[in-house]
Amino acid sequence: MAFVVVAIWGSTFVFTKMLLQSGLSPAQIFTLRFIIAYVLLSGWTAYRAWSRGGHVSHLSSFISRLFCNSWRDELLMVGLGLTGGSLYFLTENAAMLYTTATNTSLIVCSCPLFAMFLFALFYRQSERISRTQAAGSLVACLGMAMVVLNGHYVLHLSPLGDLLAFGACLCWAAYSLLMKSALERYPALFITRKVFFYGLVTIIPYYICFPDEASPSIFQFFNYSILLNLLFLGVVASMLCFLLWNWVIGKLGAVVATNWVYFNPITTILFAWWLLSEQITVWFLLGSALILLGMYLADRKK
């Protein structure tokens, strides 16, 4: 399931690029996909509560579960919405404006390394990382770099763009860290719904600073291609994938689950080869082999 989610996320660049070419901004794309995901997920949860029988009591129970058990847990959900939603997508998309796609991919996809360090720092007892697991993560990171660079080992440094990409990398590492704590007290469905809600809430200050982006042209949505792309990003890449990813973290553990991000460049290039006829090189094959080897080592407990 982790591979399926990462494979879908690796394909989203095509749909996002088409939406950008259609005139939507990165912030608008994020907002629209999260609105679609939140409305559908909330509607599905309410329908389940209603269909169980005892309609009024179950719906009142659903309404009471809109909030966490304590204000500290509610702040935790705000952190998840910020690090896995608004701040992550804004920094990643903004990085593309100032640096190359290669730099952005290389920096963002190295987040498993930083997640591993964070877990070693905050969960020294329950999430102890063996030398074999650490070595596996490093090997997978090396393979990821070979896949992204694809034989072109010339990086065009851009301090602002690279810093924004590094910010997105830290956001996803922090999201994985916070998710472990949240899954200990709440089900994945509840958490995912909160992530979408607070992702939308925390994007509001951006629109206050840039009010021109707050209202996309309504005529853009008469284009069926734009609607289909938004539905894919909102329903599949957001609602289903976030829900499954949070479930995967609960099953595999945050460190092992986050390591699957290394597969993202592989699925991206395969998708580009399939749809855009981009070339598969020896460096891609060698890097993919290193990622597989690193993932095998990182998944071992001893």
Side-chain angles (χ1 to χ4, degrees), residues 16-186:
T16 301
K17 183 176 180 179
M18 293 175 65
L19 290 174
L20 289 170
Q21 292 174 342
S22 300
L24 293 176
S25 72
Q28 291 169 345
I29 295 171
F30 159 76
T31 304
L32 290 170
R33 65 185 284 185
F34 262 47
I35 287 176
I36 293 171
Y38 179 71
V39 170
L40 290 179
L41 195 59
S42 298
W44 168 248
T45 307
Y47 171 76
R48 287 181 60 192
W50 182 267
S51 63
R52 287 176 182 174
H55 305 321
V56 176
S57 61
H58 280 84
L59 274 183
S60 62
S61 175
F62 164 72
I63 294 173
S64 67
R65 291 299 293 170
L66 292 177
F67 299 98
C68 297
N69 297 330
S70 67
W71 65 269
R72 287 187 178 87
D73 288 349
E74 200 69 34
L75 287 178
L76 175 63
M77 300 300 170
V78 174
L80 286 170
L82 187 65
T83 56
S86 57
L87 189 58
Y88 170 78
F89 281 99
L90 282 178
T91 50
E92 183 184 51
N93 292 334
M96 298 288 290
L97 299 176
Y98 301 101
T99 190
T100 63
T102 299
N103 285 31
T104 303
S105 299
L106 187 60
I107 294 172
V108 172
C109 290
S110 64
C111 75
L113 275 182
F114 295 95
M116 182 177 64
F117 293 141
L118 285 177
F119 277 91
L121 179 63
F122 287 95
Y123 295 98
R124 296 181 181 179
Q125 300 299 324
S126 59
E127 290 281 350
R128 297 184 66 180
I129 300 171
S130 68
R131 292 181 180 179
T132 302
Q133 289 177 306
S137 185
L138 289 172
V139 170
C141 187
L142 175 62
M144 178 273 299
M146 294 179 67
V147 169
V148 172
L149 294 174
N150 203 23
H152 304 286
Y153 297 102
V154 179
L155 293 177
H156 302 281
L157 299 181
S158 173
L160 178 57
D162 294 342
L163 185 62
L164 287 169
F166 183 67
C169 171
L170 291 181
C171 280
W172 196 255
Y175 176 82
S176 302
L177 180 71
L178 295 174
M179 183 57 65
K180 173 178 170 56
S181 178
L183 285 170
E184 292 173 352
R185 297 189 290 276
Y186 300 95

Side-chain angles (χ1 to χ4, degrees), residues 42 49 78 94 100 104 118 123 143 158 169 198 200-201 218 234 246 250 267 270 272 277 286:
S42 298
V78 174
T100 63
T104 303
L118 285 177
Y123 295 98
S158 173
C169 171
Y198 283 117
L200 292 170
V201 170
I218 190 65
N246 295 340
T267 58
L270 286 175
S277 300
L286 182 58

